[in-house]
Amino acid sequence: MRAALLLALTLLSGPAMAQDTAAAAQAAAARLAAAGESLGAAQASRDRVAALTETVRAYEEGLAALRDGLRRAAIRERAIAVELDAKRNEIAGLLGALLSMSRAPAPLLLLHPAGSLGTARSGLIATEVTPALQAEAEALRADLQEAADLAALQQSAIGTLEEGLAGAQSARSALSEAISERTDLPLRFNEDPVATALLLASTDTLDAFASGLAQTVDTELSSTVPDASAQKGGIALPVQGQVLRGFGEADASGVARPGLVIATAPRSLVSTPVAATLRFRGELLDYGNVAILEPASGVLVILAGLAEVYGRTGEILPAGAAVGLMGGEPPAPHEILTETAQGGGAQQSETLYLEVREGDAPVDPATWFAPG
């Protein structure tokens, strides 16, 4: 009985703290449902581009939150399984001791070789064991129920994932169409396409191309120049993602570039967090699709590696305007479930290169952007 009491107290000494992962996943599902409702409203909005841009962001945030909730659920489910497995031998020993006790007749169980004092002590020990065992049984029951609920949550999420992924794709398609039809943004200048083509053909470095951008202007239409200097150092990154390499950090092959390499999810929306002039868009050298923004006079922000680039060269884009989309294909719902079941986060298979230039030289993007 003393051994049984010590074992019961040991099991009770480290109860698992349950995390409200189900509530987090349900909140994410609600965000996706709200994004679906806003998609229909955005189609009829006066400013369709702005409404659809916000809808795409809402879908991205909802899907990211749902994946995070499912990842937490998978981690919690595995933790419960490990806890239960670790207690397996202890619980088996405890049940064996109780089974032996239950087979002894009650009067004999209360008797003790040491006499009445020993019998009294045995009774006190028995009164301590029973509540401990009951508490442990309740804790085990709660763990098993939580594990079952988390498993059911992951299985039921596949429908929500399917709807969210399909809605996000519809919103992106509608956004691309709306931007192609947009004519209301102010133009700072008209581009000279011949000069742009000559510049592309005659330069073999990003430095040379950026230095020659002034030659591509045909007609100045506005003296209004965006100026984000007051926000310098606190501007948000143009895409949701994780910075893989900072300014001047070399990659695995030893190549160092004066910009940030940002890992993003497939088809992520890239936008400008501050008003800026679109100075160039298109294929550039080995950088792929590139958008070059000018958020302040003499300051260029190069965004490279996009699959689609939006806008017309010379347009003044407002803060939050869509610049383009990353490439890749979003994973299927069953792949997301497999990924979260293994405890992994969202797949960030695409990379955006961000470089900032002041005058003719690149500077650390951290002087303008807040990577955190």
Side-chain angles (χ1 to χ4, degrees):
M1 291 181 67
R2 289 180 182 275
L5 173 60
L6 291 174
L7 184 55
L9 294 178
T10 300
L11 291 174
L12 287 171
S13 64
M17 299 299 294
Q19 300 178 7
D20 197 7
T21 54
Q26 290 167 0
R31 293 170 70 179
L32 286 173
E37 294 175 1
S38 66
L39 177 58
Q43 298 285 9
S45 174
R46 182 177 179 180
D47 190 345
R48 290 180 61 227
V49 172
L52 288 168
T53 300
E54 289 303 315
T55 299
V56 172
R57 287 199 188 99
Y59 269 115
E60 289 184 350
E61 292 171 0
L63 285 168
L66 182 58
R67 294 174 76 151
D68 180 64
L70 291 174
R71 179 184 62 82
R72 290 165 53 194
I75 292 173
R76 177 59 184 158
E77 184 184 12
R78 287 203 311 278
I80 293 173
V82 170
E83 290 170 5
L84 294 176
D85 188 64
K87 293 179 180 178
R88 186 183 302 275
N89 292 335
E90 296 177 359
I91 295 172
L94 178 59
L95 292 177
L98 294 177
L99 183 61
S100 298
M101 291 168 57
S102 68
R103 290 173 178 170
L108 294 178
L109 188 62
L110 295 176
L111 295 178
H112 195 277
S116 60
L117 182 59
T119 301
R121 289 174 175 171
S122 298
L124 291 174
I125 291 173
T127 59
E128 293 291 337
V129 168
T130 302
L133 294 179
Q134 183 176 1
E136 178 62 19
E138 291 297 330
L140 289 173
R141 184 180 296 109
D143 283 347
L144 291 170
Q145 184 61 52
E146 184 182 0
D149 291 342
L150 292 172
L153 170 68
Q154 294 175 74
Q155 291 301 316
S156 65
I158 190 164
T160 305
L161 284 170
E162 288 175 345
E163 294 176 3
L165 291 169
Q169 183 56 38
S170 297
R172 293 185 187 105
S173 298
L175 176 61
S176 298
E177 180 182 354
I179 289 178
S180 66
E181 299 171 352
R182 180 175 60 188
T183 58
D184 58 338
L185 288 184
L187 276 175
R188 182 176 160 193
F189 62 85
N190 280 327
E191 180 189 25
D192 184 341
V194 175
T196 301
L198 290 174
L199 179 62
L200 284 168
S202 62
T203 57
D204 56 3
T205 65
L206 182 57
D207 286 351
F209 183 83
S211 299
L213 266 182
Q215 306 169 14
T216 65
V217 176
D218 182 16
T219 308
E220 292 280 355
L221 301 176
S222 173
S223 59
T224 302
V225 178
D227 189 357
S229 299
Q231 303 177 53
K232 188 174 181 178
I235 301 175
L237 290 175
V239 68
Q240 287 188 5
Q242 178 182 2
V243 176
L244 293 181
R245 286 190 294 279
F247 178 74
E249 291 184 10
D251 59 18
S253 61
V255 177
R257 285 181 171 175
L260 304 180
V261 177
I262 307 170
T264 76
R267 306 302 289 168
S268 291
L269 179 69
V270 181
S271 59
T272 173
V274 294
T277 304
L278 182 60
R279 294 302 306 264
F280 172 79
R281 54 157 291 186
E283 292 274 348
L284 178 60
L285 303 174
D286 60 345
Y287 288 88
N289 266 330
V290 172
I292 299 181
L293 306 174
E294 187 176 16
S297 181
V299 177
L300 297 179
V301 175
I302 293 94
L303 303 174
L306 298 96
E308 299 179 37
V309 183
Y310 298 142
R312 174 183 171 187
T313 302
E315 284 181 333
I316 299 177
L317 304 175
V323 176
L325 290 173
M326 299 302 295
E329 290 297 329
H334 70 275
E335 293 175 337
I336 294 176
L337 289 178
T338 301
E339 161 196 308
T340 56
Q342 296 172 350
Q347 291 183 348
Q348 296 180 326
S349 57
E350 306 303 307
T351 54
L352 177 74
Y353 177 69
L354 185 154
E355 182 174 315
V356 179
R357 304 182 68 87
E358 293 182 9
D360 291 331
V363 299
D364 188 346
T367 61
W368 284 86
F369 292 89

